[in-house]
Structures are given as structure tokens and as C-alpha cells.
Amino acid sequence: WASMAEMPLIIVNVQRGGPSTGLPTNVEQSDLFQAIYGGHGDSPRVVLAASTVEDCFYIALEAATIARKYSTPVFILSDTSLATRIEAFDEPKLAELMQDPKLDLTPRAGALKPYDLERITQHVPPGARMLDGKYPLVTGLEHDEMGHPTGSPKLHMAMTAKRRTKLQKLAEELPVPEIYGDAEGDTLLVGWGSTYGPIHDAVKKGRQAGQKLAAIHLRHIHPLPNGLEKIFAKFKRVVVVEMNDQGIYGFGQLATILRARYCEPKIQSMTKTDGLTFRIKEILEGLGDRYASNGSSSGERTRPRVLSSAPSPKTSSDTATGTHRAEAQISARAERAGDVTPTKPGAEASKASSGKVEHSKHPPSERAEDAAVAISGSGEANQK
């Protein structure tokens, strides 16, 4: 309704492991598609993602500004890691930042068209008097420039384009994210949300070891800021690091969007869904052997790993063999797998962001292998 009526609206989504009740105290970034595309029909909206506790404060102010300026719904995506974390940051200058919207109830003269096709919709505050006696309507039905319901095919096409183009205008105003690390090189990490800390620490550690590594972090997810393709062109591969499933096509949710937007095959995906934040060594090991040796005492690659394409379908014989292996392995691993759910998600997530805490006595490679065996029935995940 808010998309059709073009009303300012802010929705905050603190993501957790899903679907349904899922992992109510664990972290995940699996609501991105829902935030961007969830809804009936073509219903454009803005999606922002906070990266730190401090950013949660400032992104709320930005969301309010965008919602009012463009008369559109704005989603703010946070997650359990941010919501349960405690961080200290400089006290904001509230006198400069806070807005006190005052209703302009000045009587309006002349015909007022809130849904004028030639400009971005700006509604008149309720209570303002129309001197000509013609008051605009606000409705969830398709409408003309005065807000009156209409079934005109031409008007529906024109209004659909109007609601779309205002987001394209917003994209022109959004800042291009800064590159952290090398301005060009081998690998560019792309993150969003609470992956900010471990990604930046992984870049720092990799560069200290002589790797040509960099990162950008996206706060504006939909629409994307213009100019990202120029950054991607400076690197041999682009790896999107996010906490959601690789999906049936082998890519995480943001990676799927970026590949669709830029048609760039070098955009790859690193995902995980264990309900825990990324650790530095997980990112470095996921990038490959030459990175793993910089962040871990072991040269073995552990999951999550970079996925450049969807996994190949298994044959019936592969599945049968894998199932036989799994039956023998699951019982042996069941006792030592244990419950790795953090008892204090806030403290655990905060420590995990620094890459200094083990969530289990077993390394992530073993935990990931257990999950792979249980889900796919294949023993291939246990091969080193």
C-alpha cells in the first residue's frame, strides 16, 4: 500500500536465522530478497543496511530523510549480531542532526496534483485547506494525478514508471563506497551489514602478508549507487561475503543481485548459515590456499569457500554412495558435534566479529562437514 500510495514509511528488520522461528538468537542475513522484492506487484522501495552499532543510529536518520524526500517506504536491515552488541561511539550532535518536522497547514490555492507525473510526489499535510475545494485522495488503488482511482492502462504504465524513476534519481545521489585496502589488485571483498568488522580485519591481515586485497561495504543495497562497476573493473575477482544460503544457483543473495545488475562473471560468492558471525580466518581460508596460510595455522581450506558457480547435480549412484558413507559417519560424529548455539548471543557475536573466539571445540571445517553430510547425504565434504 505504501508503495502505491507513495507514503513515507520506515520498516526495521532485525534479521535472525530462519525461516519461521528458525534460530531466534542467532545471526543471519537471509531477508535481503524479501526486503527488496517482497510484496504484490511492482512495488519499489529503498533498502539500507547498517554496518555497526553506531551506523544503526545514523542510518535511521538517513532513512527518514529519504522516505520524506522521495515519498517511499524504506527498509533498514540490521541483524542479531548488531542488535545484541554493545559498542561505545562518540555522542552524536543531536542539535544539528535531529529534525523537527512541522506541518505546513498554509491554505493551498489552485489545482494541487500530489501524483504529478512530472515530479516526485509530495503530499499535503492532513488539515491543510484547499481554496478551490478540490481535495486530493490517498489510495492503494491505481490512481490519476489527483489520487482518484482509475483503471486506465496508459495511466497505470505512466504511474508505474513514475514510482520506478524516483529510485533511479536516488541512485544518482548516493555516494560510491570507499575502497579499504589496495585500490586495485587480485581480490575485492564486498560485504553488507554486520560483516563489516571481520571483512576489514581479513583485508588488513591479508595485506600484511603481501596479498593484493581490498574491500568495500555497501550501506545502500537498493537502489545500488552508480559507479560500482568502475570499482569491480580494477580487480581480478570480486567475492561477496554474506551470511545466507548459496541458493539453488550457487550464489548468496547480494551476489545474485550484483551478478544480475552488472552481468559480471567474476563476481563470486562466499556464504554460510551456521548462525554465527564470520571470523577472520574463515574469510581468508575461504578465499583459497594462499590466503589461508596467512590467517590460520593449517593450510587446509575450510568452509565457507568461494563459489563461482552452482554445484553440479549428483547422479543416483553418487547419492547412494554418499548416503552409505553418511550413515556410518553421522553416528560417529553425533556425540562430538554438540550444540554450538551461543548461550549469550550478544557477547558471543561481538567477540566473534574480532575473529578471536572459537564457538566450539571443533574447528569450523569439521562443523561445516557435519552439516554437509547431514544435509546432502554425501561424504565428499570430508575429503581433504
Side-chain angles (χ1 to χ4, degrees):
W1 182 87
S3 293
M4 174 63 83
E6 298 191 65
M7 297 297 293
L9 176 67
I10 298 175
I11 304 101
V12 179
N13 180 348
V14 181
Q15 302 167 96
R16 66 184 187 188
S20 187
T21 307
L23 302 173
T25 60
N26 289 65
V27 66
E28 206 163 272
Q29 294 178 306
S30 52
D31 292 353
L32 183 58
F33 282 166
Q34 180 196 51
I36 296 177
Y37 303 116
H40 170 58
D42 294 310
S43 50
R45 76 289 301 272
V46 176
V47 179
L48 310 177
S51 57
T52 64
V53 172
E54 180 179 13
D55 194 32
C56 288
F57 174 84
Y58 289 101
I59 211 166
L61 298 179
E62 183 177 0
T65 300
I66 292 174
R68 294 174 62 193
K69 180 177 180 179
Y70 289 93
S71 296
T72 185
V74 179
F75 281 79
I76 300 176
L77 293 181
S78 179
D79 58 50
T80 309
S81 175
L82 292 177
T84 58
R85 185 188 305 173
I86 297 176
E87 284 183 10
F89 59 91
D90 293 337
E91 183 177 357
K93 298 179 180 179
L94 298 180
E96 300 176 6
L97 295 172
M98 299 307 291
Q99 302 178 26
D100 182 16
K102 296 180 180 179
L103 298 181
D104 181 8
L105 300 179
T106 304
R108 266 62 171 183
L112 177 68
K113 297 179 179 179
Y115 298 105
D116 192 330
L117 289 170
E118 302 301 323
R119 64 181 182 87
I120 295 174
T121 294
Q122 291 296 323
H123 293 284
V124 175
R129 190 160 65 94
M130 303 292 113
L131 296 180
D132 61 358
K134 297 180 180 179
Y135 287 83
L137 300 179
V138 176
T139 175
L141 293 169
E142 188 57 281
H143 43 260
D144 60 16
E145 292 177 298
M146 284 292 292
H148 299 143
T150 178
S152 167
K154 290 184 178 180
L155 264 178
H156 178 56
M157 293 174 62
M159 287 294 177
T160 298
K162 167 184 166 63
R163 293 186 286 267
R164 173 192 357 109
T165 54
K166 66 181 179 182
L167 265 64
Q168 293 173 326
K169 292 179 180 178
L170 170 61
E172 297 173 357
E173 300 178 2
L174 297 176
V176 178
E178 295 182 359
I179 299 176
Y180 176 76
D182 295 295
E184 57 184 26
D186 297 328
T187 301
L188 174 71
L189 300 180
V190 179
W192 64 282
S194 64
T195 59
Y196 178 88
I199 287 178
H200 279 63
D201 286 346
V203 169
K204 181 179 180 180
K205 201 162 191 175
R207 295 183 71 223
Q208 288 174 346
Q211 304 293 347
K212 299 289 286 183
L213 193 59
I216 61 172
H217 213 75
L218 298 180
R219 296 175 72 253
H220 306 95
I221 309 295
H222 187 74
L224 292 165
N226 294 340
L228 291 180
E229 68 278 5
K230 296 179 181 178
I231 297 178
F232 295 163
K234 298 178 181 179
F235 295 87
K236 296 178 182 178
R237 68 169 176 169
V238 177
V239 179
V240 184
V241 181
E242 50 189 327
M243 295 179 287
N244 52 54
D245 187 54
Q246 62 178 280
I248 62 175
Y249 300 118
F251 299 94
Q253 295 185 18
L254 179 59
T256 298
I257 292 170
L258 293 178
R259 286 175 65 90
R261 168 65 179 86
Y262 298 106
C263 299
E264 178 55 76
K266 69 181 178 182
I267 296 177
Q268 302 173 4
S269 186
M270 183 188 298
T271 68
K272 73 169 192 167
T273 55
D274 60 3
L276 306 174
T277 54
F278 268 101
R279 290 177 292 177
I280 299 171
K281 72 173 185 177
E282 282 183 316
I283 296 174
L284 293 174
E285 290 173 352
L287 291 175
D289 293 338
R290 67 192 181 103
Y291 294 93
S293 61
N294 300 325
S296 170
S297 58
S298 170
E300 299 176 355
R301 290 182 63 179
T302 63
R303 297 188 182 184
R305 69 184 189 281
V306 173
L307 299 165
S308 57
S309 61
S312 302
K314 299 182 182 300
T315 64
S316 57
S317 60
D318 292 336
T319 303
T321 303
T323 302
H324 178 71
R325 293 174 183 168
E327 290 174 352
Q329 293 165 348
I330 289 177
S331 59
R333 293 174 179 267
E335 292 185 0
R336 66 182 179 86
D339 181 9
V340 298
T341 303
T343 55
K344 296 181 179 180
E348 196 73 13
S350 179
K351 293 177 182 178
S353 296
S354 66
K356 298 179 180 179
V357 172
E358 289 283 357
H359 294 284
S360 168
K361 62 182 179 180
H362 304 294
S365 58
E366 293 184 4
R367 299 202 306 272
E369 289 167 6
D370 292 337
V373 170
I375 294 172
S376 67
S378 171
E380 294 177 359
N382 299 307
Q383 298 176 4
K384 300 297 183 182

